[in-house]
Amino acid sequence: ETGVTQTPRHLVMGMTNKKSLKCEQHLGHNAMYWYKQSAKKPLELMFVYSLEERVENNSVPSRFSPECPNSSHLFLHLHTLQPEDSALYLCASSQDAITPPNYGYTFGSGTRLTVV
Amino acid sequence: QKEVEQDPGPLSVPEGAIVSLNCTYSNSAFQYFMWYRQYSRKGPELLMYTYSSGNKEDGRFTAQVDKSSKYISLFIRDSQPSDSATYLCAMSAAGRRALTFGSGTRLQVQP
């Protein structure tokens, strides 16, 4: 299997539930990202991991908790979410070095989350 | 003011037309400029990448960057129905991994 794989593709959860999103990359990349995509809004960066270390946390509420156990796997743990958290959650990976021609993300297909 | 501005569309054109998609930005530190294409129910995929100012051509696609005007463009020649998607511009400053995205322009190419 190649590329970036996200599971599940769709998730419906109540506001009191706890769930986790999973991302796996088979590209040998060293950096992984979580982005939130809401309708008619730019992609919002949530978290950046480089070599399993969190290097950026973009003022994300504590009800979102990331975990990066190794450079191939990334999780987003969810608890006590709000209806406004409903969105497409995208995982991406990239080479750590920001120099051409390696620059650019490879995205997964996303998890469509609905909070009811 | 948003760092990156992009007209959301939708933009509807007939098959074979030349399409022009644009973004403006405010951060003069941006040096890396990308265009991503996102089909429905899929994640974005990298289409074009440009460093600093100038033009880059790849088949039917041409990316232009004008740093003096803080304006980037993507041109699609001989547009096809399969080009129907949302196009996202993205950019980054040197030494920063994270990309800043526009909100995307939805393109519809009518057969």
Side-chain angles (χ1 to χ4, degrees):
Chain A
E1 197 170 342
T2 59
V4 178
T5 304
Q6 288 188 245
T7 54
R9 292 296 306 274
H10 301 274
L11 178 63
V12 179
M13 58 186 290
M15 290 190 283
T16 58
N17 291 158
K18 289 184 181 181
K19 296 287 184 182
S20 295
L21 310 184
K22 179 182 175 182
C23 176
E24 186 173 359
Q25 60 99 359
H26 305 271
L27 300 166
H29 288 166
N30 293 320
M32 297 186 78
Y33 312 78
W34 281 116
Y35 273 87
K36 176 183 179 183
Q37 188 175 34
S38 305
K40 295 188 171 63
K41 292 176 71 174
L43 271 73
E44 299 172 50
L45 177 66
M46 300 177 74
F47 301 103
V48 180
Y49 276 83
S50 176
L51 296 170
E52 301 137 47
E53 180 185 347
R54 190 191 310 180
V55 295
E56 245 180 272
N57 175 351
N58 233 29
S59 302
V60 179
S62 59
R63 58 185 183 270
F64 296 91
S65 175
E67 178 189 2
C68 188
N70 55 62
S71 59
S72 298
H73 294 86
L74 185 65
F75 295 90
L76 188 63
H77 305 298
L78 316 171
H79 65 99
T80 58
L81 294 191
Q82 305 298 311
E84 60 264 28
D85 296 323
S86 299
L88 181 67
Y89 288 85
L90 290 161
C91 172
S93 69
S94 73
Q95 294 287 0
D96 193 52
I98 306 176
T99 53
N102 295 324
Y103 198 80
Y105 293 172
T106 301
F107 280 92
S109 293
T111 295
R112 174 69 62 184
L113 174 67
T114 303
V115 181
V116 297
Chain B
Q1 183 190 6
K2 293 180 187 174
E3 268 194 301
V4 179
E5 297 276 0
Q6 186 176 8
D7 187 333
L11 179 62
S12 183
V13 301
E15 183 175 354
I18 297 175
V19 175
S20 172
L21 305 167
N22 311 293
C23 287
T24 59
Y25 62 94
S26 57
N27 188 345
S28 58
F30 288 147
Q31 293 188 28
Y32 301 91
F33 303 92
M34 281 136 277
W35 287 93
Y36 283 81
R37 178 176 61 195
Q38 186 174 20
Y39 290 114
S40 181
R41 299 188 194 89
K42 294 285 188 181
E45 57 178 335
L46 182 64
L47 197 59
M48 297 285 286
Y49 162 81
T50 310
Y51 170 66
S52 194
S53 284
N55 292 3
K56 185 174 184 179
E57 189 173 322
D58 184 2
R60 296 185 294 111
F61 299 89
T62 300
Q64 285 185 353
V65 175
D66 181 349
K67 289 190 71 180
S68 62
S69 302
K70 297 191 179 67
Y71 187 87
I72 70 170
S73 301
L74 177 71
F75 297 96
I76 308 174
R77 290 182 298 280
D78 187 25
S79 56
Q80 303 294 310
S82 58
D83 295 327
S84 298
T86 297
Y87 290 80
L88 304 162
C89 63
M91 46 200 79
S92 177
R96 188 161 187 265
R97 297 174 190 87
L99 298 178
T100 301
F101 285 85
S103 55
T105 299
R106 188 166 152 231
L107 172 66
Q108 296 172 330
V109 181
Q110 307 293 341

